C-alpha cells in the first residue's frame, strides 16, 4: 500500500494479504546493505527470535521470505506506532502511562 517507516536496512510497508484482506507491516531489508554494515548475524537473530516469540504485547512475525535483493518480514500492523515513536513524540509520560508501558514490557 505505502511506506510507513524507514530503517537502516530498508523500509517498512503497510500491506494487505489478498487471500484474507489482513493488514501487515512488511519490513523490507536490502541484502547488500546488511552485508556492507556487517549485520548478517543480527538480522538472522532477529528473524529467529521473532519466529519463536508469540505474545499480545509484542509485534509478532507471521511470514519471512526473500528474493534476490531483499529479505522480508511480515509482522503485525499496529496503527498506533511503536514505543520509540511515542518516546520521540512526547518525551515525558504520566505515571499511569509509564506503569502501563513497564507492565507491557515485563
Amino acid at each position: 500500500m505505502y511506506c510507513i517507516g524507514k530503517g537502516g536496512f530498508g523500509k517498512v510497508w503497510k500491506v494487505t494479504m489478498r487471500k484474507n484482506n489482513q493488514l501487515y507491516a512488511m519490513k523490507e531489508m536490502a541484502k547488500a546493505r546488511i552485508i556492507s554494515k556487517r549485520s548478517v548475524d543480527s538480522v538472522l537473530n532477529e528473524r529467529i527470535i521473532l519466529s519463536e516469540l508469540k505474545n499480545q504485547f509484542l509485534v509478532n512475525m507471521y511470514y519471512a521470505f526473500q528474493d534476490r535483493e531483499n529479505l522480508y518480514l511480515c509482522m503485525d500492523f499496529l496503527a498506533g506506532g511503536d514505543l520509540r515513536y511515542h518516546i520521540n513524540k512526547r518525551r515525558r509520560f504520566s505515571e499511569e502511562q509509564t506503569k502501563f508501558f513497564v507492565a507491557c514490557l515485563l
Side-chain angles (χ1 to χ4, degrees):
M1 297 174 102
Y2 55 86
C3 180
I4 57 175
K6 294 180 183 179
F9 302 122
K11 296 179 180 179
V12 179
W13 300 88
K14 180 180 177 183
V15 297
T16 303
M17 180 179 270
R18 291 181 184 156
K19 186 171 29 175
N20 59 9
N21 277 348
Q22 182 71 35
L23 289 175
Y24 292 99
M26 185 176 72
K27 187 175 185 177
E28 174 189 46
M29 298 176 282
K31 290 179 181 179
R33 207 172 297 156
I34 293 167
I35 293 167
S36 70
K37 290 187 175 188
R38 297 182 179 160
S39 297
V40 174
D41 288 339
S42 296
V43 172
L44 289 174
N45 285 335
E46 177 183 9
R47 188 214 181 275
I48 290 167
I49 290 168
L50 287 173
S51 68
E52 292 177 0
L53 295 177
K54 299 288 181 245
N55 188 289
Q56 64 182 357
F57 296 112
L58 298 175
V59 175
N60 297 297
M61 183 185 73
Y62 299 98
Y63 308 101
F65 56 95
Q66 61 183 309
D67 63 18
R68 189 165 246 197
E69 293 89 26
N70 299 303
L71 303 174
Y72 302 92
L73 302 178
C74 292
M75 302 175 284
D76 288 325
F77 171 72
L78 303 174
D82 63 2
L83 182 57
R84 185 187 327 173
Y85 167 79
H86 291 287
I87 289 170
N88 288 335
K89 184 177 176 187
R90 303 232 13 218
R91 295 281 182 210
R92 295 183 69 98
F93 297 103
S94 70
E95 186 174 345
E96 285 299 312
Q97 291 169 319
T98 303
K99 285 179 183 178
F100 174 77
F101 288 132
V102 170
C104 290
L105 291 169
L106 293 175

